[in-house]
Amino acid sequence: MSDSTVDADEVRHVADLARVDLDDEDVGRYADQFADILDHFETLEEVPDVEAEPELVNVMRPDEVEESLDQDEALENAPETEDGFFKGPKVS
Amino acid sequence: MADAHNAFVTEETIEGADSGPLAGATVAVKDNISTEGVRTTCGSEMLAEYVPPYDATVVSRLTDAGATIVGKTNMDEFGMGTTTETSAFGATTNPVDEERVPGGSSGGSAAAVAAGDADYALGSDTGGSVRCPAAFCGVVGIKPTYGLVSRYGLVAYANSLEQIGPLAPTVEGAAELLDVIAGPDEHDATTRDAGAGSDYAAAANGDVDGLTVGVPTELVEGADDEVRAVFEDALDAYRDAGAEIEEVSLPSVEYGVAAYYVIAMSEASSNLARFDGVRYGESGGFEGNWNESFAETRAENLGDEVKRRILLGTYALSAGYHDKYYKQAQEARAWVRQDFEGAFEDVDVLATPTMPVLPPKLGESVDDPLQMYLMDANTVPVNLANLPAISVPAGESSEGLPVGLQLVGPTFGEETIIDAAALLG
């Protein structure tokens, strides 16, 4: 009954895009659950085109300098910092 | 006082101003709302040690109004759940029946109010997360119109859908709390002028004489028999008080759950990309390549439901699937909005059971995510349409479990739903 064949490779691909490590057990379980859930999402194909005015519009203003967190406060929660900067893993 | 229901993640007192409309009142605050100097975990291992350097706007409004904050309440991780069982800090139990869930995701907030651990509480409602636990714990909860309450300092899950809202034992109490937190904020560009200088509490009269109450058949038919029986009795109370009850049809809401979850998961996949363990949260270490380090900390410190939603959201937005899922969900959202607008040309408020089911037992709903999502059928259309809604206790099942009545109003129609809900509570 399902058009949504989500195989293990597809789950791994999406997990890779989302930067989430999964073990094989997770992959199998998610593949089963995603098939059910995506089947339900596919009912959206029956939704007619709707003519709607956009509710939100972009509002622009010039930038202004205001008070904000100082550097120490901004770094308070970082697992590691160096010379007043966030420290992250190697970008290679 | 021992926290018998695991309603709190952190019990710490933040004193308010000496005087103000909430002087002497205690308020519990959901743990995804930032409190300066008091850790804010979002119910996640990822933020177990996170201490915000600033207060959310709603928190400063509470303390300016004289309220004392008594702690940060337990919740489904990042707001993703309908039972408060996905919290990394353990499930909250329902004060009405210890074997049952309090609802979610603001389950700790509802349990704290129901148990008398706080006079009031704040929750956040992305797809029903204030109204569901209010209904399951037998208290009142309000989801305000999108833009009525500032989201500054609320840790984002799905920005286009969520609002912070009050929980209280009575409609008047919830309205008093809403008066304090509502109104424009320069730190949240989506806030509107409505709500400035509001007096919602004065509207809590239960005056429904001449009010037209619409009942969307699509959102009643699927409810459990016991829920339906309490709901029908509540409608009788409205008839007796002079209201007119009218059936209405909202065909679009059949697609509400699908549209809601596609949009919420898509926004979540983008919002939660920030949790990479560099600026805050748990670090994945500094060895090896950055993608591996990010993927490792996200695997270790995010829970099962959060990963599921991030992955499905990433899938729905990925090349080849965007039009099929995300674009169609936006079409459905516009249709839901139009359907409600049409209904409000004929009726003043809409009434449904808040939840189609009674509070499930702990552990009953964790294995089947789709079944859990479908429990949100009556609450998510309101978020898709940006409308205000209130859940008020309507009565009890044969076993004494609370059933909530949901009243939905037109955009910025908070006074109307508060007035109508006050008939019951």
Side-chain angles (χ1 to χ4, degrees), chain A residues 4-6 10-11 14-15 17-22 26 29-30 33-34 36-38 40-53 55-56 66 69 73-80 86-92, chain B residues 49-51 53 255 257-259 261-262 265 277-281 283 285-286 288-291 293-296 298-299 304 307-308 310-312 314-315 321 324-325 328-329 331-332 334-335 337-338 367 369-370 373-374 386:
Chain A
S4 341
T5 46
V6 186
E10 214 156 353
V11 173
V14 171
L17 290 176
R19 308 288 187 275
V20 179
D21 271 347
L22 295 183
D26 291 337
R29 193 165 36 89
Y30 282 144
Q33 292 171 345
F34 289 4
D36 272 0
I37 296 167
L38 292 171
H40 182 73
F41 288 175
E42 272 168 27
T43 58
L44 290 169
E45 284 171 8
E46 302 159 17
V47 170
D49 284 346
V50 174
E51 287 199 19
E53 297 285 313
E55 265 216 323
L56 299 172
E66 288 182 21
L69 294 180
E73 287 172 318
L75 292 171
E76 249 169 34
N77 279 283
E80 196 137 350
F86 294 111
K87 185 176 175 186
K90 268 187 229 118
V91 179
S92 53
Chain B
E49 310 292 334
Y50 174 69
V51 180
Y255 304 91
V257 169
Y261 275 96
V262 168
M265 288 168 172
V278 173
R279 288 153 298 163
Y280 30 67
S283 172
F286 302 93
N289 151 312
W290 61 327
N291 288 321
S293 163
F294 293 172
E296 187 183 316
R298 289 160 68 77
D304 188 57
K307 287 178 201 166
R308 186 157 36 245
I310 289 174
L311 298 186
L312 280 165
T314 304
Y315 183 83
Y321 297 105
K324 181 174 176 180
Y325 296 110
Q328 279 307 100
E331 291 284 344
W335 187 21
R337 203 153 52 214
Q338 285 186 357
D367 291 333
L370 181 59
Y373 303 163
L374 292 169
N386 303 332

Side-chain angles (χ1 to χ4, degrees), chain A residues 54-71:
Chain A
E55 265 216 323
L56 299 172
V57 291
N58 290 324
V59 181
M60 302 298 186
R61 60 156 176 77
D63 287 339
E64 289 162 31
V65 178
E66 288 182 21
E67 235 182 277
S68 68
L69 294 180
D70 65 32
Q71 198 170 3

